Every structure is written in C-alpha cells, then in structure tokens.
Amino acid sequence: MPATPTPDPLHPPQALHPPEALHVTTPAQADALMDFAYGARLLEQFLTPTTASHAAHALNEPANRVTYHVRKLHDCGLLRVAGHHGKRVQYVAAARTFHVPRSLVQLDEPLTVIGPAMREITAAYAHAILDWQTRQGHPGTGDDLTIHLGRCAPDTRTDTRTDIGAFAPAMRLRTVQLSPQQYRAAQDAMNAILDRLETEETDSARTSTFVLMSFRGQLHLN
C-alpha cells in the first residue's frame, strides 16, 4: 500500500485526491494520455498518492522507464505533486476522467494511436515464442508440430507425452455473434479473471502478459 504522504505546505490536503474530470487542452497532454503503455494505464497507479518506484513495482516495469514517463505526465499537467515520502516525490493523477477534444486526437487515423503499441506487442510475442522454443529444445530435425482443433485438446497437465512446457505462448482468435449486453459481459468476465489472478500469490509465479482485444466486426474488413 502507498505510504501516507508527508504534508506539503505548497499542496494542501484537498490536492491529494484527484478531481472527477479534467479537460485536456494541449497536444502534449493528448499524446501522453493516449500512449497505450504509459498513458492512462500508468495514471491509474496514481489515483491515490504514490511514488514512481511504487508504480513501477505494481506494473512490474523497470523503475527508470516508469520514472521517465511519470515525469512526462507531470510536465504536461496530467500528474500533480501530492507530497513526499522521505526523499521521494509522491504524485497523484490530475483527474479521474479526462475529456480529450476531437481536434487533438487523430481518430480518423487510428493506427497513429495504436500502431506503436501493436508493433511492440507483436515483437514481444514473437520473442516469447523464440524463448519457448529454446526452452523446449526446438527447433530440431525430429520435432513434430502438433495442432489440436476445437476444444478436444488433451490435458497437458496429466499427459507428459503432450507436455508443451510452462508458459507456452498462446493466441486464439474467435468471431462470435453477441448482443451488446453479452459483449460487455464477456469483457467484464475476462477482466475479472485477470484481476483475481493479479492478487493471488504463488511460489512458481512468473511475469505473464495477457492482451485482451475485442471489437465489433470481423478480422477481414470487406
């Protein structure tokens, strides 16, 4: 839990909790907020006063990288100084909700917003596959590639002949017919699973990443 900040005479107690809403006014604010990895995702760590190092620990990210982006968010006004914990600065989000004018976001060119993040995700996934192959002793001249269709794949936890190894990368694509209520329920259910797993502790835990994507339509645009 974040430590209670030392009172700062330049920042009264009411400044320790973010207001409900803030209207973004500059391109720098919009760009920082829309950063997939270090925008809103990082700001969520500062809904209560905390330090950059605590946020880095919570996100399991390198402290120097998170500190850089914390300073960036602070410099453009999306984070505010809430006090100090020892020699460390504690920050709090400038608001809980941010309204971004359409003129500051290139919504007609969505790849300018999500393109860098998708490239980083793709690269990380590809490296995870290479790492898994190395741990499994692949590739080898006698290795088979086994593909199971549907939901009839064997339980690899009990069948050593089909053991795919710990933390094998996985990707699944499925298009289904859903009502608006079912669509939201599916998102909530997947988020709930990750929220629960995030709080569970185990000795064999390793850092793992799940990217949950959902959108109306199908993969191939007509």
Side-chain angles (χ1 to χ4, degrees):
M1 294 294 292
T4 301
T6 302
D8 189 334
L10 298 179
H11 300 86
Q14 60 268 27
L16 301 183
H17 302 283
E20 281 303 315
L22 175 73
H23 286 269
V24 169
T25 58
T26 69
Q29 288 179 329
D31 290 344
L33 185 62
M34 300 301 291
D35 185 313
F36 181 83
Y38 298 105
R41 172 174 172 262
L42 179 54
L43 282 172
E44 284 183 341
Q45 300 300 317
F46 296 92
L47 292 177
T48 57
T50 193
T51 63
S53 59
H54 186 276
H57 177 75
L59 295 173
N60 200 29
E61 295 269 4
N64 58 342
R65 182 183 303 169
V66 171
T67 297
Y68 168 80
H69 288 282
V70 165
R71 290 173 179 167
K72 182 178 177 181
L73 292 171
H74 172 260
D75 290 345
C76 70
L78 298 181
L79 278 178
R80 296 171 180 169
V81 174
H84 293 78
H85 181 225
K87 295 182 178 180
R88 296 180 178 178
V89 179
Q90 289 196 315
Y91 299 92
V92 68
R96 290 182 174 274
T97 302
F98 295 88
H99 300 288
V100 185
R102 179 69 178 266
S103 60
L104 295 180
V105 183
Q106 298 179 349
L107 294 179
D108 55 334
E109 298 180 21
L111 285 180
T112 62
V113 177
I114 67 171
M118 295 303 298
R119 287 192 291 271
E120 185 173 354
I121 291 170
T122 301
Y125 184 74
H127 280 90
I129 292 175
L130 293 176
D131 173 70
W132 173 76
Q133 288 179 330
T134 300
R135 288 186 283 114
Q136 291 294 100
H138 298 309
T141 55
D143 294 331
D144 292 333
L145 175 63
T146 303
I147 300 175
H148 296 284
L149 302 182
R151 302 177 182 177
C152 59
D155 187 345
T156 60
R157 294 170 296 182
T158 58
D159 187 350
T160 57
R161 295 170 302 172
T162 58
D163 184 15
I164 60 174
F167 299 100
M171 178 184 295
R172 185 168 189 178
L173 171 67
R174 174 164 291 189
T175 301
V176 295
Q177 296 288 331
L178 298 176
S179 69
Q181 294 77 16
Q182 290 174 316
Y183 182 88
R184 180 58 184 270
Q187 289 181 324
D188 291 344
M190 291 185 288
N191 286 328
I193 291 173
L194 295 182
D195 288 343
R196 175 176 56 81
L197 292 174
E198 191 175 26
T199 61
E200 294 181 356
E201 296 184 1
T202 174
D203 294 337
S204 59
R206 295 292 184 273
T207 301
S208 304
T209 298
F210 289 78
V211 179
L212 302 181
M213 298 181 64
S214 55
F215 54 92
R216 179 183 174 185
Q218 54 191 21
L219 182 61
H220 303 290
L221 300 176
N222 294 326

